[in-house]
């Protein structure tokens, strides 16, 4: 996911209680091993267990509050829902596992460095597969609008939380705010206001018909409600 300079939570507002660590059955070692063994020869690449261990150590570091294995598990569960609609299921699933492997709040190189980590570990995969996975990881940076079926789907999968209930949406915001603890409220919520304004300006929030039909209205309501709170608190223009 692109490094978002902000949280959904309102400055000075009521904090939604953190539910604590979430179980992540969709992000199991067995699932990753099956994918890795299908797509990557080891040797020359490391064995699946070693790569899975590295990913979980990165994702579940002490500074990770949102961009962790629970987020990956959520993305994988959403991937399972749409897998029949994808052109290269294995590439999309691999990109989900790696897309937040490297994450420093606010660092614009997170996605590139995550793709580089995949390249370093995937020497035993076909070149075309490696290129596809890297392109899918870079899609989550959102430097340009996603084009192509699978890129649109991974973007929508990553952003699907915007279409959650308001309470869940705000809980995610609290977790993101914790990740950006080094920023003061002015920096944080000012950046958030700009990001939300950009999202609201999209002709469609989601890129695929599947997500538009199921989650577009809720995502729009959440964005509008959050932006109104940022205006009220003086972080966004009316």
């Amino acid at each position: 996911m692109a490094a978002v300079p902000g949280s959904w939570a309102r400055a000075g507002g009521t904090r939604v209680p953190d539910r604590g660590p979430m179980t992540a059955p969709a992000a199991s070692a067995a699932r990753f091993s099956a994918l890795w063994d299908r797509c990557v020869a080891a040797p020359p690449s490391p064995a699946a267990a070693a790569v899975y261990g590295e990913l979980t150590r990165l994702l579940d570091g002490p500074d990770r509050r949102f961009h962790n294995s629970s987020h990956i598990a959520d993305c994988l569960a959403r991937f399972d829902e749409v897998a029949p609609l994808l052109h290269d299921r294995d590439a999309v699933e691999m990109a989900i596992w790696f897309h937040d492997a490297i994450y420093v709040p606010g660092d614009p190189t997170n996605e590139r460095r995550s793709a580089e980590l995949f390249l370093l570990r995937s020497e035993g995969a076909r070149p075309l597969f490696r290129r596809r996975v890297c392109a899918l990881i870079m899609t989550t940076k959102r430097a340009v609008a996603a084009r192509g079926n699978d890129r649109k789907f991974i973007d929508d999968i990553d952003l699907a939380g915007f279409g959650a209930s308001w309470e869940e949406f705000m809980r995610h915001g609290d977790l993101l705010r914790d990740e950006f603890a080094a920023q003061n409220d002015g920096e944080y919520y000012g950046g958030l206001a700009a990001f939300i304004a950009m999202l609201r300006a999209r002709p469609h929030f989601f890129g695929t018909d599947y997500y538009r039909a199921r989650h577009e209205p809720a995502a729009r309501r959440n964005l509008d409600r959050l932006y109104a709170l940022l205006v009220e608190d003086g972080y966004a223009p009316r």
Side-chain angles (χ1 to χ4, degrees):
M1 179 178 183
V4 179
S7 160
W8 316 157
R10 181 184 182 185
T14 302
R15 184 180 178 85
V16 178
D18 186 359
R19 296 189 309 213
M22 296 171 61
T23 57
S28 68
R31 176 171 184 155
F32 180 81
S33 294
L35 173 67
W36 192 257
D37 291 345
R38 281 198 307 274
C39 302
V40 185
S45 291
V51 181
Y52 179 81
E54 181 179 23
L55 286 174
T56 54
R57 286 192 298 273
L58 289 167
L59 289 165
D60 292 331
D63 56 333
R64 300 290 191 106
R65 301 288 290 143
F66 177 80
H67 294 93
N68 54 26
S69 62
S70 291
H71 174 57
I72 301 303
D74 182 65
C75 287
L76 289 170
R78 296 181 186 280
F79 163 87
D80 290 340
E81 295 174 1
V82 301
L85 304 176
L86 302 174
H87 294 161
D88 190 337
R89 300 181 193 183
D90 284 345
V92 175
E93 183 175 357
M94 190 71 77
I96 287 171
W97 279 99
F98 276 87
H99 80 284
D100 282 331
I102 306 299
Y103 181 77
V104 177
D107 189 336
T109 69
N110 286 328
E111 293 78 15
R112 176 178 58 79
R113 293 167 63 206
S114 294
E116 288 171 350
L117 177 65
F118 168 72
L119 287 176
L120 286 171
R121 301 293 181 263
S122 64
E123 185 180 356
R126 292 178 293 108
L128 178 59
F129 179 78
R130 299 173 82 201
R131 289 196 296 272
R132 284 178 177 169
V133 172
C134 288
L136 289 161
I137 292 170
M138 292 304 300
T139 296
T140 66
K141 183 177 175 64
R142 297 178 190 94
V144 296
R147 299 181 63 182
N149 183 76
D150 289 0
R151 294 188 192 190
K152 289 180 179 180
F153 266 109
I154 196 171
D155 190 36
D156 285 358
I157 287 168
D158 195 30
L159 292 178
F162 280 85
S165 69
W166 175 251
E167 292 74 20
E168 185 75 0
F169 179 71
M170 293 296 279
R171 189 184 75 83
H172 291 167
D174 286 333
L175 297 176
L176 284 161
R177 182 64 180 101
D178 288 345
E179 287 186 337
F180 282 81
Q183 291 188 359
N184 63 42
D185 281 350
E187 295 170 329
Y188 199 78
Y189 293 109
L192 172 61
F195 180 70
I196 296 300
M198 180 270 291
L199 292 177
R200 293 175 77 224
R202 287 183 172 192
H204 299 284
F205 182 84
F206 291 109
T208 63
D209 291 341
Y210 181 93
Y211 273 90
R212 287 176 191 166
R214 290 161 177 79
H215 303 293
E216 183 90 10
R220 288 289 179 187
R221 287 193 300 270
N222 286 338
L223 287 173
D224 290 346
R225 187 173 176 182
L226 175 58
Y227 195 79
L229 291 176
L230 292 167
V231 168
E232 184 179 336
D233 283 350
Y235 294 113
R238 294 185 181 276

